[in-house]
Amino acid sequence: MRTLRTPEERFADLPDFPYEPRYAEVADGLRMAYVETGRADGPPVVLLHGEPTWSFLYRHVMRELAAAGLRAIAVDLVGFGRSDKPAERADHTYARHVEWTRALLFDALGLSGVTMVGQDWGGLIGLRIAGEHPERIARIVAANTGLPTGDIPMPELWHRFKDAVMNAPALDIARFVQSGCKTELSAAVRAAYDAPFPDESYKAAAKAMPGLVPITPDDPAAPANRAAWQVLTTLDRPFLVAFSDGDPITGGMGPVLKKSMAGAAGRAHPVIKGAGHFLQEDAGGELGRHIARFVTGT
């Protein structure tokens, strides 16, 4: 598998993101990056981003978690951020991304008692890992995400998005992120989202991810996701649904998760107003405070 590694100088002068990158090998020389802040012995909160962002997305959330005495660990998924980037779309599968991320969290970092926070693809991966390794999980936070099995049709808007991304000859990452935000991103923030991708050859993961979402019952990932659903819906771990009020793609999953997950019952779930799909950008501080209260209160 041919991989690319973004030159470190691309990440100079990142706004509000002073964290030193850390690295771990997860498979055959494949390196994943992460950053962390807060108390080293605090309860670990794993922050998983989605497509096409990276750990930079969680910079405002991390500040709130650290202030609450928690250990915030924001991961760069393979193909994104400072993590290595397999160069072919075919290198990227749902199962591989789950395994690479699991290997980082549990094999390399040895985490347990984890609060798993996932948004977008971070939820598709994080919820799978939680369902397959519940003994490592203390709590779950789902933020504008889901765990599709292909048994329920995806909205038409999602199909248009999928086709646009997968067929784009050139993918404008910063524009992509801006389209999922309610607030106007500064030039420096837009540059930070472009930073991991010096040219189109680095964007295989970003272009592949929409095609990996299970949209039919016979999708290769569907059985594993159904199995994870069975575990999660009976798991006695606290489960927080923290969705924005302005995400047309995943918004419909919020009520489903609140109703289905055993750990969500009887809990006050926040709805973050005025935020889009990338709610960490629009309301990262607010989201961080909700997560911090959830962790310290359970």
Side-chain angles (χ1 to χ4, degrees):
M1 187 166 63
R2 184 172 65 91
T3 61
L4 304 172
R5 185 169 290 175
T6 303
E8 182 57 33
E9 56 265 27
R10 294 276 302 180
F11 300 98
D13 303 319
L14 297 169
D16 301 316
F17 199 70
Y19 311 110
E20 286 296 318
R22 307 182 186 196
Y23 300 96
E25 185 174 315
V26 294
D28 299 325
L30 188 72
R31 191 176 76 166
M32 286 185 74
Y34 65 99
V35 294
E36 65 172 87
T37 188
R39 272 180 42 203
D41 62 346
V45 182
V46 169
L47 306 167
L48 298 181
H49 68 86
E51 130 103 342
T53 61
W54 58 293
S55 56
F56 176 78
L57 178 70
Y58 279 103
R59 64 198 183 282
H60 303 307
V61 175
M62 293 175 70
R63 184 174 60 243
E64 298 294 335
L65 300 182
L70 307 176
R71 180 188 178 191
I73 304 165
V75 173
D76 290 345
L77 299 179
V78 170
F80 300 91
R82 290 182 169 100
S83 289
D84 287 349
K85 298 169 181 66
E88 304 299 327
R89 290 196 203 187
D91 294 332
H92 298 274
T93 70
Y94 196 152
R96 277 180 168 176
H97 278 277
V98 169
E99 172 54 22
W100 289 329
T101 307
R102 183 211 63 78
L104 174 68
L105 300 180
F106 302 153
D107 296 346
L109 299 182
L111 298 177
S112 60
V114 168
T115 297
M116 186 75 79
V117 180
Q119 182 262 342
D120 189 88
W121 258 99
L124 273 71
I125 293 169
L127 291 172
R128 261 279 292 278
I129 292 173
E132 292 175 350
H133 304 276
E135 72 283 356
R136 299 272 193 157
I137 304 301
R139 302 166 202 82
I140 299 169
V141 180
N144 288 0
T145 191
L147 187 64
T149 62
D151 299 307
I152 299 174
M154 298 290 280
E156 179 57 32
L157 178 64
W158 185 88
H159 288 283
R160 294 202 298 269
F161 154 77
K162 169 180 173 287
D163 293 341
V165 171
M166 296 188 70
N167 297 324
L171 195 58
D172 187 334
I173 299 294
R175 183 180 178 187
F176 184 164
V177 178
Q178 177 65 81
S179 70
C181 298
K182 297 292 187 181
T183 51
E184 185 69 25
L185 304 183
S186 70
V189 169
R190 291 172 69 102
Y193 285 116
D194 281 331
F197 309 105
D199 58 50
E200 292 302 306
S201 68
Y202 287 76
K203 300 176 184 177
K207 293 179 178 179
M209 287 300 231
L212 304 182
V213 176
I215 59 173
T216 60
D218 60 350
D219 185 281
N225 278 13
R226 289 191 197 101
W229 265 102
Q230 290 198 337
V231 173
L232 293 171
T233 52
T234 58
L235 192 64
D236 62 349
R237 306 294 194 279
F239 194 114
L240 187 71
V241 180
F243 275 44
S244 71
D245 66 349
D247 185 6
I249 292 180
T250 67
M253 281 303 304
V256 175
L257 293 171
K258 292 175 190 176
K259 181 180 179 181
S260 303
M261 299 300 172
R267 196 170 303 284
H269 300 277
V271 176
I272 298 176
K273 298 186 182 303
H277 180 64
F278 297 111
L279 72 171
Q280 304 97 318
E281 233 358 290
D282 291 326
E286 181 181 351
L287 176 62
R289 290 188 291 275
H290 284 303
I291 297 170
R293 284 194 293 269
F294 172 60
V295 175
T296 58
T298 54

